[in-house]
Amino acid sequence: MDFLGLVLVGVLVGLTTVLFGFGGGFVTVPIITLVHADLGSDTARVAAATSALVMLVNAVVSTLSTKRETLAHLKGEWWLFILLAAGGAFGAFCAKFAPEPLLKWGFVIYIAVTAIDLLARPGFFRRGGAKVRDENLSDGGRGIAALFGFPIGGLASFLGVGGSVMTVPMMRRSGSTMTVATTLANPLTLVIMLPAVLVTITTHASTAVPGMVGSVDLRSAFALLISAIPLIVLLRRRVPKIPEIIHVWGYFILLIIAGVVVAVS
């Protein structure tokens, strides 16, 4: 895929960042996997590392563009932030030594298990049901327990998928609206991906590729970001109002598509 093609894909990266909180990870990993399919054993590692950088930049832009009253739902969650960051560093470090099939099929299995869980357990497609009404929760729900921070950060950075695939369903089941859950997934992804990127830029792929620093393909990341960032800023200032049922099913369908693309690449 040429540079212009990646710029066009960046529009989708921006949309998924704002609408689903993915930070672009579920678009970036499959696309970079296709771009660098010829790297063999390094393909999944480069895809995860490049995805981490794209998600970090998008998460920073999205967080800075988010309304303060929405970010207030994360006020005082310092232990959660610390454990997310620690998990992010640990996961990225482990990915340095992981075989390519583990990274690739770990991504696919991770998505498959998540998709089954979303269908099997209540609370995602319908916001918390009676519990929300009984407890009179705000749009942000009860939040995420800090103890989940380390495993969320570790798995997210290991596979290069950000944290939204875990944090959005967890926030939904805690009583959060889909809009708030996907919005807050970005600052949580920022916390995870900052240490992860610092690790990946010091991890060198065995195959040299022009424009690569460590395991990060800077050229592809730049192409994706130059179209994603303006769209993120625009949509964050005027957040599209999407019916909850369409929002949750859109999240679910995109999840499946990302897994299928990586599986067949």
Side-chain angles (χ1 to χ4, degrees):
M1 184 177 293
D2 59 18
F3 189 85
L4 180 58
L6 287 171
V7 172
L8 294 176
V9 172
V11 174
L12 183 57
V13 170
L15 282 173
T16 58
T17 297
V18 175
L19 299 183
F20 305 108
F22 288 155
F26 280 166
V27 178
T28 304
V29 169
I31 290 300
I32 300 302
T33 297
L34 292 174
V35 169
H36 289 303
D38 59 336
L39 290 182
S41 61
D42 282 325
T43 298
R45 182 169 290 104
V46 170
T50 305
S51 173
L53 177 61
V54 171
M55 285 187 290
L56 174 61
V57 175
N58 284 343
V60 169
V61 174
S62 183
T63 300
L64 292 175
S65 304
T66 299
K67 295 179 180 179
R68 291 187 178 183
E69 53 266 35
T70 303
L71 294 176
H73 292 296
L74 295 176
K75 186 177 180 180
E77 297 288 351
W78 296 111
W79 274 113
L80 176 62
F81 297 154
I82 291 170
L83 291 174
L84 284 171
F90 179 74
F93 178 78
C94 291
K96 293 172 63 173
F97 308 101
E100 191 272 342
L102 176 60
L103 296 175
K104 173 181 177 177
W105 292 107
F107 181 95
V108 174
I109 293 170
Y110 176 55
I111 290 181
V113 170
T114 300
I116 293 170
D117 177 69
L118 295 182
L119 291 172
R121 288 201 298 149
F124 177 74
F125 289 98
R126 289 189 177 183
R127 181 192 167 214
K131 288 184 178 180
V132 173
R133 294 190 295 272
D134 293 343
E135 297 175 12
N136 193 30
L137 295 176
S138 68
D139 288 348
R142 295 181 297 276
I144 300 173
L147 62 89
F148 291 113
F150 191 84
I152 290 174
L155 193 56
S157 64
F158 183 76
L159 299 175
V161 296
S164 63
V165 72
M166 298 176 73
T167 59
V168 170
M170 290 177 75
M171 284 188 281
R172 283 286 292 172
R173 291 189 172 112
S174 79
S176 172
T177 64
M178 193 64 181
T179 298
V180 172
T182 53
T183 299
L184 295 182
N186 284 300
L188 296 178
T189 295
L190 190 163
V191 175
I192 295 169
M193 288 302 151
L194 179 57
V197 168
L198 295 177
V199 173
T200 57
I201 61 176
T202 63
T203 305
H204 297 282
S206 59
T207 305
V209 175
M212 188 174 290
V213 175
S215 295
V216 179
D217 179 2
L218 288 182
R219 180 180 179 276
S220 295
F222 177 73
L224 293 169
L225 288 169
I226 59 175
S227 53
I229 291 175
L231 188 61
I232 292 171
V233 174
L234 176 64
L235 293 180
R236 269 282 166 257
R237 290 177 177 175
R238 298 181 179 181
V239 180
K241 294 183 179 180
I242 305 174
E244 284 277 289
I245 189 63
I246 295 178
H247 209 163
V248 294
W249 276 106
Y251 180 99
F252 181 80
I253 292 170
L254 187 58
L255 198 70
I256 299 298
I257 293 173
V260 171
V261 171
V262 172
V264 301
S265 64

